[in-house]
Amino acid sequence: VSGYGGCDDESLHAIILGENGVHAARLQLEGAVVEYCLDCGELINPKRIAYARKTNMKCVRCVDCQQDEDRRPKSQIKMLTWIL
Ligand SMILES: [Zn+2]
């Protein structure tokens, strides 16, 4: 069967790209939990991660960076809500 491999690889690649896009979008929403802080790259306290998972809350920053984030204006979040 000629051309089989090339064609399949391409559609598979498209599927992978699509899933990555969905994953990235999900990270922007509530319930996102990561092990390393998005801002400083430090390992987030495992207790904080466990608590976030249990309560289905967003946890993408360590405690220090989250406190900084909470002090910032919320215009970005409002814009995201508006787009969605
Ligand atoms: Zn941090």
Side-chain angles (χ1 to χ4, degrees), residues 36-44 60-66:
Y36 294 90
C37 175
L38 282 190
D39 286 354
C40 71
E42 290 287 318
L43 192 64
I44 297 171
V60 294
R61 288 178 183 86
C62 68
V63 177
D64 289 345
C65 294
Q66 188 60 57

Side-chain angles (χ1 to χ4, degrees), residues 15-59:
I15 289 164
I16 291 167
L17 278 181
E19 282 181 352
N20 281 345
V22 170
H23 184 66
R26 278 197 189 133
L27 274 180
Q28 303 294 323
L29 302 172
E30 293 305 310
V33 176
V34 298
E35 285 178 46
Y36 294 90
C37 175
L38 282 190
D39 286 354
C40 71
E42 290 287 318
L43 192 64
I44 297 171
N45 189 333
K47 282 183 187 169
R48 180 170 157 77
I49 294 173
Y51 179 78
R53 288 212 169 111
K54 203 164 66 179
T55 56
N56 206 30
M57 278 172 64
K58 191 172 176 173
C59 177

Side-chain angles (χ1 to χ4, degrees), residues 1-19:
V1 188
S2 71
Y4 174 79
C7 179
D8 231 32
D9 282 354
E10 228 167 273
S11 46
L12 186 65
H13 189 61
I15 289 164
I16 291 167
L17 278 181
E19 282 181 352

